[in-house]
Structure formats: structure tokens, C-alpha cells
Amino acid sequence: MDKANIQLVDDGQPCAVIVISQAAVQSLPTLDDEKANPRIPADKIAWAARDLQVYLEKMSGAELPIVGDDQPTPAGTTILVGRSSLTTAFDAEIPAGVTNLREEEGYAILTDDTTLVLAGNDQGPYHGTEYAVSFFLYSLGVRWYLPGDFGEVIPDHPTITVAPTRESGRPDFKMRNWW
């Protein structure tokens, strides 16, 4: 039996809720905040969730709400961004940990019935959840060529659906930085 696509937005109307950990809700940036380099996992997840919300709205006109995992699980489609109490069923597929070898960074984009999971290893120096969101948006056609609105390419999609997927990725380089 084939699994159905998950509907996130239908004709400019939200069909999904973004769910993050309660700690990340406390770190949720406003739209006016300047993005620095978040260091703790809750901040990394909060920024990833806000980016997802902003770009889905730019694409479709629909603003998906962001709620904490301490709230009752919303009916319908949920987008789980980062690790939370609701991602335990997916934990085996989400990279985690930090060792001296620095081989644990990675992300996962997973679907299951009415759930989309965008999560990764956010421990230590890693930004896995941010990568999961970026790769997901990239799969929808979003491109960034330069900082700011001038360098963005955002397709117009009043309806957004996600096909069943089990994608994971790891960076080609252990360390990436400006030297």
C-alpha cells in the first residue's frame, strides 16, 4: 500500500503546525532579530523553526503556527523541527552525539502518516536541524545566492505537499569554517 503525500499548505491556507521542544519555544527569535551563530541546541532549533515558518509563508502566503511539545498534540499534520518529546519514535534515524572524530553531524528528513520530521544533530558544534530545514526548503525550490531578499529565489507555491521520504545526510567535510 502506497503512503499518501502530506499536505502542509492548501491554496494559501495552513494545514500543518510546526512543533518544537519547549526549551526551543523559549528561545524563539522575533522576525526582527539578527541571526548570529546559535550555540545551544534550543537556539539552533528555534532559528530553524522560524526559518521554516518564514520561507513557507513567503512561498505560499500561509503562516504555520509554532507550538511547543508541552502542548496537546495538534490534530492533523505536524512538522517536528529538532528533537523533542514527540520525536522519540524517530530518534534512531536522527544523528546524535559528539566524539573526538567529529563524524556525528548530520540531518534527517522523515515522514510518517501525518508527520514530517526535520531534525539533526545539534549537540556541540553541529547544526543538523538547521541543515534539515535548509535541505527541505531546497527540495521545494528555495535558493539562496546572496544574503538578503535580493539573493533569494522563492517559488510561488500556494499548495505545498510532501511525498513520503526517508532522507538523511552528512557533510562531506568534518569541519567547515572561514579561516
Side-chain angles (χ1 to χ4, degrees):
M1 177 181 206
D2 290 333
K3 291 193 175 202
N5 290 348
I6 297 174
Q7 185 127 20
L8 305 181
V9 179
D10 184 22
D11 198 26
Q13 298 301 310
C15 298
V17 174
I18 299 168
V19 181
I20 59 178
S21 69
Q22 183 54 34
V25 168
Q26 302 301 322
S27 297
L28 206 56
T30 68
L31 295 177
D32 296 327
D33 287 344
E34 293 263 342
K35 187 169 186 177
N37 186 11
R39 302 264 184 226
I40 62 171
D43 290 348
K44 296 172 187 180
I45 292 167
W47 275 105
R50 180 65 78 203
D51 282 347
L52 179 66
Q53 181 188 47
V54 166
Y55 284 97
L56 289 178
E57 183 175 9
K58 286 181 178 185
M59 291 173 66
S60 68
E63 182 179 347
L64 278 62
I66 299 174
V67 300
D69 64 347
D70 62 331
Q71 304 296 316
T73 305
T77 302
T78 55
I79 305 172
L80 306 179
V81 177
R83 287 182 183 271
S84 70
S85 64
L86 301 179
T87 61
T88 54
F90 304 96
D91 280 352
E93 297 178 75
I94 301 171
V98 177
T99 66
N100 290 338
L101 296 177
R102 298 287 194 249
E103 294 177 343
E104 303 80 21
E105 185 165 30
Y107 69 90
I109 301 172
L110 312 166
T111 60
D112 188 21
D113 297 327
T114 60
T115 303
L116 168 64
V117 179
L118 303 172
N121 190 353
D122 296 312
Q123 296 173 314
Y126 303 137
H127 295 265
T129 297
E130 292 170 286
Y131 290 134
V133 168
S134 292
F135 279 103
F136 174 70
L137 291 171
Y138 188 87
S139 76
L140 297 177
V142 177
R143 302 291 186 269
W144 298 274
Y145 295 107
L146 298 168
D149 292 339
F150 179 75
E152 295 178 340
V153 175
I154 302 170
D156 183 23
H157 292 310
T159 298
I160 300 173
T161 59
V162 180
T165 187
R166 298 258 63 61
E167 177 185 336
S168 63
R170 295 188 183 276
D172 292 333
F173 297 98
K174 291 182 184 183
M175 301 298 287
R176 294 161 318 284
N177 205 346
W178 291 98
W179 298 96

